[in-house]
Amino acid sequence: HVVGHGVSSEFANLYDTANDPFVLHISKYSPRKNPKAIVALAEQIEYPLVVVGSGWEDQIGDVASSVPNLDIRGYVEMDELVRLYNQASIFYFPSRFEGFGMPILESLACGTVVLTTPRTAAPDLNSNAVFLSDPDDTNQHASIVNRILSDDDKREQLEMEAIQAGEKFTWEFTARKTVEVYQSVLTQSQGR
C-alpha cells in the first residue's frame, strides 16, 4: 500500500502570485538537489530564480554572483517561506533523487506550478500542475518556464489545478489511509 504524505495547513494559497514573475527553489544545499541545473536555468531565463535554504551561499556563492538572475536568500522564517511559495510563478525542483520531496506538496498547497524531475515522488501526484523533465535537460526546463510564464491565462488555470492537487494531501488523509491499511491487515490476519 502507498500512503502519501500530508502537508501542514500553514502551506495554503494566501497571497496572489507576484506581478513580477519569478522562479523559486527551496532546499538545503546538496549535490543531489542539482545545483548545476539551478545555475544553468538562471542563466537561460529572463526571470529571477530565487533560491531559499541554507548552504547555497557557501557552496555556489562565487558562481551565483556572476549570474544576475540568481538570487540566493539563505534561510527564511516560515511566514516568508509561505509568502514566497505563494508569490512564485513556478517552483523549480530539479533533484537527481528524492525520498518524497515535501517542497513539491508545499508548493502545490500554495497554488504554485511545479517543474521537477521524475526522480521524485511527483509522478505519483498525477497533476497537470506538475511538469516533469530530465534533471539535466535545462534547455527543456527553460522552455517549460518560458511557456508557462508567457501565458497568464494558462498559468492561472495551472495554479487552480495546483491548489486542487495540494488539497488532497493533508495529514488527516494520511492518518485515515494508514488506519485503513492497518485495519485491512488485521482483517486479513483474523480470517486465516
Side-chain angles (χ1 to χ4, degrees):
H1 299 275
V2 176
V3 177
H5 285 271
V7 65
S8 170
S9 60
E10 292 173 295
F11 298 99
N13 188 243
L14 304 172
Y15 304 92
D16 290 336
T17 303
N19 290 330
D20 295 324
F22 69 94
V23 177
L24 178 66
H25 173 82
I26 296 173
S27 73
K28 182 178 178 181
Y29 177 88
S30 169
R32 72 183 171 94
K33 301 297 183 182
N34 203 358
K36 286 182 182 178
I38 292 167
V39 172
L41 180 68
E43 291 173 331
Q44 293 176 35
I45 62 175
E46 62 185 60
Y47 308 98
L49 198 162
V50 176
V51 177
V52 173
S54 61
W56 289 94
E57 185 66 39
D58 296 337
Q59 296 296 323
I60 67 165
D62 293 342
V63 173
S65 65
S66 66
V67 181
N69 287 344
L70 192 55
D71 179 1
I72 298 178
R73 303 265 177 103
Y75 173 84
V76 298
E77 295 294 332
M78 179 61 79
D79 59 339
E80 177 66 2
L81 181 67
V82 172
R83 187 187 66 77
L84 285 167
Y85 270 132
N86 274 259
Q87 292 188 323
S89 303
I90 298 174
F91 178 70
Y92 182 54
F93 206 59
S95 294
R96 296 189 177 286
F97 62 90
E98 283 294 328
F100 186 79
M102 289 301 292
I104 294 170
L105 284 187
E106 293 166 354
S107 295
L108 293 174
C110 292
T112 303
V113 177
V114 174
L115 170 55
T116 188
T117 72
R119 297 179 186 178
T120 66
D124 295 336
L125 300 177
N126 195 24
S127 171
N128 291 332
V130 178
F131 291 80
L132 301 174
S133 180
D134 180 276
D136 296 314
D137 192 350
T138 56
N139 289 331
Q140 185 178 29
H141 301 177
S143 175
I144 292 168
V145 167
N146 289 325
R147 189 171 69 239
I148 292 169
L149 296 185
S150 67
D151 185 343
D152 289 341
D153 292 336
K154 181 66 173 173
R155 184 184 46 76
E156 289 174 11
Q157 176 190 346
L158 290 169
E159 288 173 352
M160 294 307 298
E161 291 186 34
I163 293 168
Q164 291 169 353
E167 287 173 347
K168 297 176 188 173
F169 293 90
T170 65
W171 286 117
E172 292 79 13
F173 178 79
T174 300
R176 188 172 58 251
K177 291 307 245 180
T178 302
V179 168
E180 288 174 13
V181 170
Y182 282 123
Q183 287 174 336
S184 72
V185 170
L186 287 173
T187 302
Q188 288 175 359
S189 67
Q190 291 171 350
R192 291 182 182 181

